[in-house]
Amino acid sequence: AAQQGKAADTGAQQARPYASAGGCYPMHAVLLPLLTVEEAPFGADSILHVAAQERALYALSGHGALNAAVTCLDGMPGQEADTFANAAFIIVYVIDLEVATLRYAERGYRFALIETGLMAQQATLVTEQRGLRSCMFGGFPDAELCAALGLNPKKMLVCMTQIFGYL
């Protein structure tokens, strides 16, 4: 019985975080924490890269970059004033264009868009189990958000954001 439990644990660790065409995983998730956490391991103003395959977080930047990224999202024309009032964090979904098109050429871009939806659906399911709600958000200035995140817009494409909180 102990061996079965151990084998099951190993299988769970190797499980893919979401389905990816050809196992390419061209998607990146960038986490913008909005709530201040006193014991945050990366600092209160860090932008974090969510490494889905590794199930790890890596700090991308700090020193005002988080504020610049949120400012790009907040205050867009037609946006309600309280969009971020109860938000805990934002996930920015980014396509690595080189990885997306390496194996499947132009079709890889379509696969990456599908994978964006799969990642967002998985994030929604997990957070709803914990009492959070989410809202897809597509109204943002692409070039400004890429710059705030420190991304090269010719290689990395921000395709969607998702706001999480007690909405």
Side-chain angles (χ1 to χ4, degrees), residues 26-30 92-96 149 151 156-159:
M27 297 304 306
H28 296 272
V30 177
V92 179
Y93 298 95
V94 181
I95 298 172
D96 182 328
L149 296 173
L151 302 174
M156 305 294 273
L157 176 67
V158 175
C159 61

Side-chain angles (χ1 to χ4, degrees), residues 28-32 73 90-94 145 149 158 160-161:
H28 296 272
V30 177
L31 180 68
L32 308 178
L73 297 171
I90 299 170
I91 295 180
V92 179
Y93 298 95
V94 181
L145 186 54
L149 296 173
V158 175
M160 184 177 72
T161 61

Side-chain angles (χ1 to χ4, degrees), residues 104-157:
Y104 296 110
E106 292 84 20
R107 187 169 299 277
Y109 175 72
R110 283 190 248 162
F111 289 147
L113 291 174
I114 292 168
E115 290 177 33
T116 300
L118 292 171
M119 288 179 76
Q121 179 184 30
Q122 183 66 17
T124 299
L125 292 172
V126 169
T127 55
E128 282 185 355
Q129 290 175 349
R130 288 160 177 78
L132 293 170
R133 297 286 181 250
S134 69
C135 175
M136 303 300 175
F137 189 75
F140 52 85
D142 297 26
E144 290 173 34
L145 186 54
C146 274
L149 296 173
L151 302 174
N152 179 345
K154 294 183 180 191
K155 294 184 178 187
M156 305 294 273
L157 176 67

Side-chain angles (χ1 to χ4, degrees), residues 53-55 61 75 90 98 103 113 121 133 138 146:
Q53 288 181 281
E54 299 172 38
R55 291 174 171 76
S61 58
I90 299 170
E98 282 184 12
R103 180 177 281 174
L113 291 174
Q121 179 184 30
R133 297 286 181 250
C146 274

